[in-house]
């Protein structure tokens, strides 16, 4: 039945209900990432067409982030209640319409206001995506399969950035940004509608080997755990937002390499993170099946995703060769992606019935922290003129997240 997700795939390779739910969640994550990147590709010709300055372009980017931050928490709570897939696919339908209507907004009597409204709608509709995806994995898959499910979600998310960059960059010269936006939005809307038609219902309760009746109350020590987990998520977001936004500047300013002009190098971080997510999920699942305690596996993944990037960033301060710097970046981002099998999988372990709500909260705070990371990075660069201090600060934040997880995070359930 739809309320009892199976633990193994049926013969013939057909997807189980749980597998189909995770596939649909992963596809929505791929599309939100691809649609974000399509706008990044489109912003340059859009600026030229409308004569927008950099401040206005920044306003359009910020409108998305404001909307995104506002709906993480409420979207996660809704996903826990009604199921992550209907929340994600409904959001996908709404934001795809917003993406597809961008050309109409640009041609309107008030183009900037119309574009800001659509960007805000995109953010509001896509905010629930990540917490909803975790809610799907937590409820639709048994504990031993959750690492792999989360790995598939993050593989799709990072691959979406790669696909949006490569396909969008390749198509925009022949189609133009308006046709590209309409095509991307239309494809997303069709996929969302089809997904809503075929999606099975989400299990009412998380799949467990031994089911215990949940009371829905908060476990003892919940608030300390939430504070520790929020800090760990902050460390993940700080470092990711920093590397995503500032590494092209680092390559251009300190190494003389314009990363943004090379499609292969620009897409490399996303490919690395996609593959790292898959590797970490498979490794975590194998270790659990071999007898490792689940929480010990989560700790190992957090250690890899924190210690290796921290050490690599410190090493980057001494590297002056562009090829060596790219290799170091591959190592750092590949290791960073192991956090999905550590932090995100841990939330699914300890709060399967409330993982969307909890991740919605930690990610809301994390998005704000990520924005602060960009501001602080700019100020530190202005003050020092070098990335050395920024790398050291980010390495310290990685280390603080590692310490918080090892010292304060516990394997006990967060919801009784």
């Amino acid at each position: 039945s739809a309320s009892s997700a199976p633990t193994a795939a049926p013969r013939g390779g057909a997807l189980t209900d749980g597998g189909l739910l995770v596939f649909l969640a992963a596809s929505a994550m791929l599309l939100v990432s691809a649609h974000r990147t399509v706008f990044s590709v489109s912003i340059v010709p859009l600026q030229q067409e409308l004569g927008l300055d950099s401040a206005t372009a920044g306003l359009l980017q910020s409108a998305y982030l404001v909307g995104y931050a506002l709906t993480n928490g409420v979207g996660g709570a809704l996903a826990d209640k009604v199921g992550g897939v209907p929340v994600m696919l409904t959001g996908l339908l709404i934001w795809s319409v917003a993406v597809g209507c961008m050309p109409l907004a640009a041609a309107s009597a008030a183009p900037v206001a119309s574009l800001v409204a659509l960007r805000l709608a995109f953010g509001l509709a896509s905010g629930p995506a990540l917490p909803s995806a975790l809610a799907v994995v937590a409820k639709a898959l048994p504990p031993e399969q959750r690492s792999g499910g989360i790995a598939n979600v993050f593989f799709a998310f990072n691959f979406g950035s790669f696909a949006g960059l490569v396909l969008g960059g390749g198509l925009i010269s022949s189609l133009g940004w308006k046709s590209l936006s309409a095509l991307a939005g239309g494809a997303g809307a069709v996929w969302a509608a089809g997904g809503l038609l075929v999606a099975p219902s989400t299990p009412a309760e998380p799949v467990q080997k031994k089911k215990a009746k949940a009371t829905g109350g908060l476990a003892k020590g919940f608030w300390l755990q939430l504070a520790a987990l929020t800090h760990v998520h902050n460390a993940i977001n700080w470092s990711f937002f920093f590397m995503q936004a500032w590494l092209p500047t680092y390559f251009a300013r300190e190494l003389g390499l314009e990363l943004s002009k090379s499609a292969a190098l620009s897409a490399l971080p996303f490919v690395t993170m996609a593959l790292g997510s898959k590797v970490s999920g498979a490794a975590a699942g194998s270790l659990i099946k071999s007898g490792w305690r689940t929480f010990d596996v989560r700790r190992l993944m957090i250690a890899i995703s924190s210690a290796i990037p921290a050490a690599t960033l410190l090493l980057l301060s001494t590297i002056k060769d562009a090829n060596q710097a790219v290799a170091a970046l591959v190592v750092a981002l590949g290791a960073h992606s192991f956090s999905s099998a550590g932090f995100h999988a841990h939330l699914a372990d300890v709060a399967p019935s409330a993982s969307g709500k909890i991740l919605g909260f930690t990610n809301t705070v994390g998005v704000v922290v990520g924005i602060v990371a960009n501001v602080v990075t700019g100020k530190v660069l202005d003050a020092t003129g070098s990335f050395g201090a920024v790398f050291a600060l980010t390495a310290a934040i990685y280390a603080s997240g590692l310490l918080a997880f090892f010292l304060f995070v516990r394997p006990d359930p967060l919801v009784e």
Side-chain angles (χ1 to χ4, degrees), residues 1-7 16-18 139-142 203 207:
S1 68
S3 63
S4 56
T7 60
T16 64
D17 279 358
K139 282 194 172 184
L141 299 180
V207 179

Side-chain angles (χ1 to χ4, degrees), residues 63-75 120 123-124 127-128 364 367:
Y64 170 82
L65 290 174
V66 169
Y68 180 81
L70 286 175
T71 53
N72 262 253
V74 66
L120 180 65
L124 289 168
T364 298
V367 168

Side-chain angles (χ1 to χ4, degrees), residues 307-324:
I308 293 177
T312 305
L313 286 178
L314 293 176
L315 182 63
L316 271 176
S317 299
T318 67
I319 292 177
K320 300 304 178 185
D321 177 76
N323 291 329
Q324 292 178 6

Side-chain angles (χ1 to χ4, degrees):
S1 68
S3 63
S4 56
T7 60
R11 292 181 182 180
L15 282 174
T16 64
D17 279 358
L20 179 56
L21 286 168
V22 172
F23 170 76
L24 290 172
S27 70
M29 290 297 290
L30 184 152
L31 287 169
V32 70
S33 185
H35 284 159
R36 286 181 190 175
T37 311
V38 164
F39 182 77
S40 297
V41 171
S42 301
I43 190 64
V44 174
L46 176 61
Q47 279 185 268
Q48 294 173 346
E49 180 177 318
L50 297 180
L52 305 179
D53 57 20
S54 296
T56 304
L59 175 64
L60 294 177
Q61 296 284 14
S62 298
Y64 170 82
L65 290 174
V66 169
Y68 180 81
L70 286 175
T71 53
N72 262 253
V74 66
L78 186 62
D80 286 333
K81 185 174 182 179
V82 305
V85 165
V87 172
M88 293 183 79
L89 292 179
T90 301
L92 171 58
L93 182 61
I94 294 170
W95 87 61
S96 294
V97 171
V99 170
C101 287
M102 294 285 284
L104 297 177
S108 69
V112 173
S114 300
L115 290 168
V116 167
L118 289 179
R119 290 288 292 167
L120 180 65
F122 183 5
L124 289 168
S126 63
L130 180 57
S132 295
L134 186 63
V136 171
V137 173
K139 282 194 172 184
L141 299 180
E144 66 273 13
Q145 294 181 13
R146 287 174 188 157
S147 295
I150 291 172
N152 288 334
V153 166
F154 277 88
F155 174 85
F157 177 69
N158 289 304
F159 187 79
S161 296
F162 165 77
L165 181 67
V166 174
L167 293 178
L171 291 174
I172 198 167
S173 59
S174 57
L175 296 180
W177 79 267
K178 292 181 179 179
S179 295
L180 178 62
S181 294
L183 178 63
V190 170
W191 185 265
L196 287 168
L197 290 175
V198 304
S201 59
T202 304
E205 296 293 336
V207 179
Q208 305 284 1
K209 288 184 177 179
K210 294 181 180 179
K211 288 190 177 181
K213 185 172 180 61
T215 64
L218 302 181
K220 183 179 180 181
F222 172 86
W223 296 109
L224 175 60
Q225 291 296 294
L226 181 63
L229 289 168
T230 300
H231 180 74
V232 175
H233 204 168
N234 288 345
I236 292 170
N237 275 25
W238 178 290
S239 51
F240 176 72
F241 273 63
F242 157 67
M243 288 195 283
Q244 185 181 53
W246 289 96
L247 282 177
T249 303
Y250 160 70
F251 278 107
R253 180 185 294 188
E254 300 208 359
L255 300 179
L257 174 66
E258 186 54 69
L259 186 62
S260 61
K261 291 183 178 179
S262 171
L265 287 179
S266 297
L268 182 60
F270 302 112
V271 175
T272 303
M273 294 189 74
L275 294 176
S277 298
K278 288 291 287 184
V279 170
S280 66
S286 296
L287 289 172
I288 292 171
K289 287 180 181 178
S290 70
W292 276 54
R293 192 170 67 126
T294 299
F295 188 57
D296 290 337
V297 174
R298 305 305 179 215
R299 280 183 158 185
L300 175 62
M301 297 298 146
I302 288 291
I304 292 172
S305 68
S306 302
I308 293 177
T312 305
L313 286 178
L314 293 176
L315 182 63
L316 271 176
S317 299
T318 67
I319 292 177
K320 300 304 178 185
D321 177 76
N323 291 329
Q324 292 178 6
V326 170
L329 171 60
V330 167
V331 171
L333 290 173
H336 177 97
S337 66
F338 276 56
S339 61
S340 63
F343 173 79
H344 298 89
H346 173 73
L347 283 184
D349 294 335
V350 299
S353 63
S355 56
K357 189 183 307 179
I358 294 173
L359 184 65
F361 173 78
T362 65
N363 198 44
T364 298
V365 179
V367 168
V368 175
V369 168
I371 296 171
V372 171
N374 283 328
V375 175
V376 171
T377 296
K379 290 185 177 298
V380 172
L381 285 175
D382 287 340
T384 65
S386 169
F387 273 84
V390 178
F391 288 151
L393 173 61
T394 305
I397 291 171
Y398 266 123
S400 72
L402 174 62
L403 288 174
F405 197 92
F406 272 73
L407 293 178
F408 300 109
V409 175
R410 298 290 178 262
D412 309 311
L414 292 181
V415 179
E416 296 176 338

